[in-house]
């Protein structure tokens, strides 16, 4: 089984994201999407972000047919750990 990984904050999902997920899924058997935690989004994008909390972003992404699994990460180390795990 070939796993494909992509990650980001995905705070405001748009057509470019959907095309990314569609393309990424075409490259393998399973697409896993990592999303930045609320704390990480705030530190990366500023105090006015995220607009959508991590649980809502996760649920929204899980409803997209190209995505097989969504995980939330809170640090670079945790992100690296997830990538190595999968």
């Amino acid at each position: 089984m070939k796993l494909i990984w992509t990650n980001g904050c995905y705070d405001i999902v748009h057509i470019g994201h959907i095309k990314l997920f569609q393309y990424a899924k075409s490259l393998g058997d399973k697409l896993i999407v990592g999303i930045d935690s609320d704390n990480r989004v705030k530190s990366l994008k500023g105090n006015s972000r995220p607009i959508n909390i991590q649980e809502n972003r996760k649920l929204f992404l899980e409803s997209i047919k190209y995505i097989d699994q969504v995980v939330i990460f809170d640090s670079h180390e945790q992100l690296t750990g997830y990538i190595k795990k999968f």
Side-chain angles (χ1 to χ4, degrees):
M1 175 179 289
K2 185 173 182 181
L3 301 177
I4 305 299
W5 174 278
T6 189
N7 61 269
C9 69
Y10 304 112
D11 190 17
I12 304 170
V13 176
H14 52 74
I15 191 66
H17 292 128
I18 301 301
K19 289 182 179 187
L20 166 73
F21 301 141
Q22 181 181 27
Y23 176 71
K25 177 67 175 196
S26 77
L27 299 175
D29 302 304
K30 184 175 180 181
L31 175 59
I32 303 168
V33 176
I35 60 171
D36 293 284
S37 69
D38 289 347
N39 289 334
R40 269 184 67 87
V41 173
K42 186 174 295 258
S43 70
L44 294 169
K45 306 254 183 197
N47 287 332
S48 64
R49 301 285 295 274
I51 293 169
N52 296 294
I53 62 171
Q54 65 191 31
E55 292 82 9
N56 291 352
R57 291 183 284 132
K58 183 176 188 290
L59 182 62
F60 184 83
L61 292 174
E62 288 171 337
S63 72
I64 297 172
K65 69 180 183 177
Y66 307 111
I67 299 173
D68 297 295
Q69 186 175 353
V70 179
V71 296
I72 299 170
F73 62 93
D74 197 45
S75 67
H76 181 74
E77 294 75 24
Q78 192 175 29
L79 169 61
T80 303
Y82 275 132
I83 293 171
K84 288 179 181 177
K85 174 183 172 184
F86 294 112

